[in-house]
Amino acid sequence: MGVNRIRSAAGAAPQAADAPGRRWGWWGIVFVVAFVASIAAGSALKVGESLYLPDASVTQLRDFYAASGAAVLVQSALQILAAVALYRFGCRLRAALRAEGTRAGAVMGWGTAITAGALLASVVCGLALLLVAAPAGDTTVAGLGRAALVLGGAAHLLGAGLLITAASTVAWRSHRRPRWVFGYGRIVGPLVAASALSVLLPPLVRPEPAFRLLAAVWLVGVGIGVLRGAFDEVG
């Protein structure tokens, strides 16, 4: 029997009374929108050729950051918003699943911290490149570029995969809804986490957009489920 039905049977007000408690579902959607917008804004505001970090030379890094400062700043601002939204979402989801003090709860906590923290650290590396790309030595520029790639890619996706896997496992076992979202998360979560192997196998960097899409579908699915009250139902 769903929570709504239990409350109605007890003569309590329906779930609409708890609607403000669902607002955290927006954070997952805000992350996806802000991240996609950061890519679009960076592409629209760039000057000259696009920068593909996995193949970028030191010269290309210097040229891009010298010419596309506005693109870097706008993209960075949107990705900071995305990182904050993702952190808030992960924390609220962990609390909603009452996973504190459990092994799965610890994995959710670490996953949230890693995925949001790595994205934020990647932004810091990009801003540092904006400041030092011209005067710094080749080793520094190459190192910052590599750090931005690994933090914003492999590390960010590893954390996202841990969060998705642990949260979906807890939600599935406790019969949370939407069922398809958490069943989906149990499958794609490990795939997203495994994409971090790109650190050891560079060719795996290329399909990273696909792994990001898999994670985005889960985040939006959970967010919509929370906002519509489906997450409140157990059964």
Side-chain angles (χ1 to χ4, degrees):
M1 180 181 290
V3 173
N4 286 342
R5 295 174 185 172
I6 292 174
R7 295 194 175 191
S8 295
Q15 276 290 329
D18 292 338
R22 301 175 188 160
R23 291 175 184 164
W24 63 269
W26 280 110
W27 287 117
I29 299 170
V30 168
F31 164 77
V32 174
V33 172
F35 191 86
V36 172
S38 75
I39 296 173
S43 178
L45 296 173
K46 69 177 175 57
V47 176
E49 297 294 324
S50 297
L51 182 68
Y52 182 59
L53 274 177
D55 297 334
S57 65
V58 170
T59 298
Q60 288 172 321
L61 285 167
R62 292 187 195 279
D63 291 344
F64 179 83
Y65 281 92
S68 300
V72 174
L73 289 173
V74 173
Q75 187 172 59
S76 296
L78 288 167
Q79 290 191 359
I80 289 171
L81 172 61
V84 171
L86 186 55
Y87 183 78
R88 293 291 301 272
F89 177 82
C91 290
R92 291 301 300 271
L93 177 59
R94 180 170 176 252
L97 289 172
R98 298 180 178 85
E100 295 90 340
T102 66
R103 182 176 300 176
V107 174
M108 288 177 63
W110 278 107
T112 299
I114 291 170
T115 190
L119 180 58
L120 187 60
S122 175
V123 172
V124 171
C125 289
L127 293 174
L129 274 169
L130 187 60
L131 294 174
V132 306
D138 288 356
T139 301
T140 300
V141 173
L144 285 171
R146 175 64 178 171
L149 172 65
V150 172
L151 289 167
H156 170 65
L157 289 170
L158 172 62
L162 293 175
L163 171 61
I164 293 169
T165 302
S168 295
T169 299
V170 173
W172 182 265
R173 289 176 178 173
S174 59
H175 303 283
R176 291 279 185 174
R177 300 180 185 275
R179 296 293 282 164
W180 76 266
V181 174
F182 299 117
Y184 167 84
R186 294 172 73 197
I187 297 171
V188 305
L191 293 176
V192 174
S195 69
L197 290 173
S198 61
V199 174
L200 302 175
L201 302 170
L204 288 178
V205 171
R206 293 191 177 277
E208 275 187 359
F211 292 118
R212 294 185 191 278
L213 178 60
L214 293 176
V217 170
W218 185 85
L219 288 164
V220 173
V222 174
I224 292 175
V226 170
L227 292 170
R228 295 183 63 185
F231 184 83
D232 299 327
E233 297 211 9
V234 179

